[in-house]
Amino acid sequence: MKCFIGLGNPGDQYNNTKHNFGYWIIDSYLKKNNLQLKLGKGEFVYSKTEDAVLTKTTTFMNNSGHAVKDIVHSLSIDVNDLVVVYDDIDLPLGTIRFRSGGSSGGHRGIDSIIYNLQREDFIKLRVGIATNENMRPSESYVLKPFPIKYNNQIIEVIDNANDGMDYLINNSINETMNRFNRKIKGEN
């Protein structure tokens, strides 16, 4: 059973920031499937279906590893079934990338997860947040909302990520990567 974990920052002041894209994707999936979150035993909230567990960390992004460790232990999740959903400033907005294993790519939330699990062989669903806006310093960029002109693209990428999650539940990671890791126009 796959366990999808949305990363973000708790608190109203962060709700609409780019760094909460992982939360947005989980929230959308929950809404489409009429699911409600409940408190976990640790720093997370979750909902279970017959096929998957949907979770959101309740720690700040850079401490995500503590929450993920709680999820793994409290819900008896095999690390190989984890799918961590998070924003990636190195991918253009509109892009999603499934990846099995690998390093953090400098993402501090993923660094924290790798450190706390002492493993990096979990699945990552990277969601692009790069735009033509000034993205430096990156710490500032990720903590700001997207301009309104990107709303349609945001909705499309959330829907695409939800489709990818559904697909991954019944298919291998390689099949999922082949189907969803397509380049978009203008991407290198």
Side-chain angles (χ1 to χ4, degrees):
M1 177 179 291
K2 294 291 183 230
C3 177
F4 297 94
I5 303 174
L7 301 187
N9 285 313
D12 291 342
Q13 70 271 34
Y14 298 108
N15 281 348
N16 297 318
T17 65
K18 298 172 192 82
H19 229 8
N20 276 24
F21 225 126
Y23 281 5
W24 301 347
I25 289 168
I26 297 297
D27 287 341
S28 174
Y29 194 93
L30 292 165
K31 186 175 181 180
K32 286 178 183 175
N33 292 281
N34 278 335
L35 299 169
Q36 299 293 316
L37 291 171
K38 57 186 173 183
L39 289 175
K41 291 180 182 170
E43 298 183 83
F44 67 97
V45 290
Y46 74 103
S47 184
K48 278 187 174 181
T49 71
E50 287 182 23
D51 303 318
V53 179
L54 295 263
T55 65
K56 290 172 36 177
T57 59
T58 56
T59 57
F60 285 94
M61 178 66 80
N62 294 353
N63 295 319
S64 296
H66 299 290
V68 172
K69 194 172 183 180
D70 287 345
I71 291 165
V72 167
H73 293 296
S74 176
L75 301 177
S76 299
I77 304 293
D78 185 316
V79 173
N80 294 313
D81 290 326
L82 292 181
V83 183
V84 179
V85 185
Y86 63 99
D87 63 286
D88 191 326
I89 198 168
D90 294 325
L91 292 174
L93 179 62
T95 305
I96 66 170
R97 289 284 185 276
F98 284 91
R99 181 176 180 197
S100 182
S103 73
S104 70
H107 192 286
R108 291 189 186 136
I110 300 300
D111 278 337
S112 174
I113 294 169
I114 291 170
Y115 177 79
N116 278 273
L117 296 180
Q118 293 296 295
R119 297 173 65 168
E120 58 183 35
D121 57 339
F122 52 90
I123 297 171
K124 299 164 185 77
L125 172 48
R126 300 164 46 216
V127 182
I129 62 167
T131 64
N132 293 331
E133 312 291 317
N134 179 11
M135 296 191 300
R136 299 294 176 234
S138 59
E139 296 82 5
S140 209
Y141 177 78
V142 300
L143 293 176
K144 291 181 184 167
F146 284 103
I148 291 171
K149 67 182 179 180
Y150 295 111
N151 283 358
N152 288 338
Q153 262 186 295
I154 292 166
I155 292 166
E156 285 175 24
V157 77
I158 289 171
D159 288 344
N160 193 30
N162 283 178
D163 290 346
M165 291 164 60
D166 274 334
Y167 189 82
L168 180 59
I169 289 170
N170 297 306
N171 297 278
S172 73
I173 183 58
N174 287 336
E175 290 169 318
T176 305
M177 289 189 301
N178 286 337
R179 182 162 180 173
F180 288 90
N181 290 6
R182 297 189 186 122
K183 291 192 177 206
I184 60 172
K185 260 196 268 183
E187 183 184 354
N188 293 328

